[in-house]
Amino acid sequence: YKRQDAGHPEAPYDLGVIYQQQGDREQAVYWYTKAADAGYSDAMTGLMQVLDQEQLLDWLKKAVVARNPLASDFLAKLRESGS
């Protein structure tokens, strides 16, 4: 994936998805983080699936700021449940 070096955050995101599907959490986190750091909100929600609770909340808040609707809904449900 040469696009990941050319400013296309969807490329490292796609790699994160592949690694997650293969069960390689470490590589999924690496690639999702690269895409999330570039502002790709889908990668932020991808990270939510593979991180521990503290890390998850940090990325969840970043995804909400990036206006990701899935993250906004999830955060609202967490608040409703008192988590």
Side-chain angles (χ1 to χ4, degrees), residues 1-82:
Y1 265 63
K2 293 181 181 179
R3 291 187 309 159
Q4 69 93 10
D5 292 324
H8 297 280
E10 46 295 314
Y13 167 77
D14 290 342
L15 286 171
V17 169
I18 291 166
Y19 281 112
Q20 182 181 1
Q21 290 171 343
Q22 294 175 348
D24 188 337
R25 182 186 173 280
E26 184 177 325
Q27 283 295 310
V29 169
Y30 175 80
W31 290 107
Y32 280 147
T33 301
K34 282 186 86 64
D37 284 342
Y40 196 60
S41 68
D42 287 348
M44 295 173 194
T45 56
L47 277 168
M48 291 168 44
Q49 299 173 43
V50 295
L51 295 176
D52 64 39
Q53 187 173 3
E54 183 177 328
Q55 294 169 316
L56 176 137
L57 288 173
D58 184 45
W59 279 108
L60 178 60
K61 290 173 186 173
K62 290 177 184 180
V64 169
V65 169
R67 298 196 169 128
N68 182 286
L70 177 63
S72 296
D73 291 345
F74 188 74
L75 186 59
K77 287 177 184 175
L78 281 177
R79 288 183 176 154
E80 286 174 12
S81 70

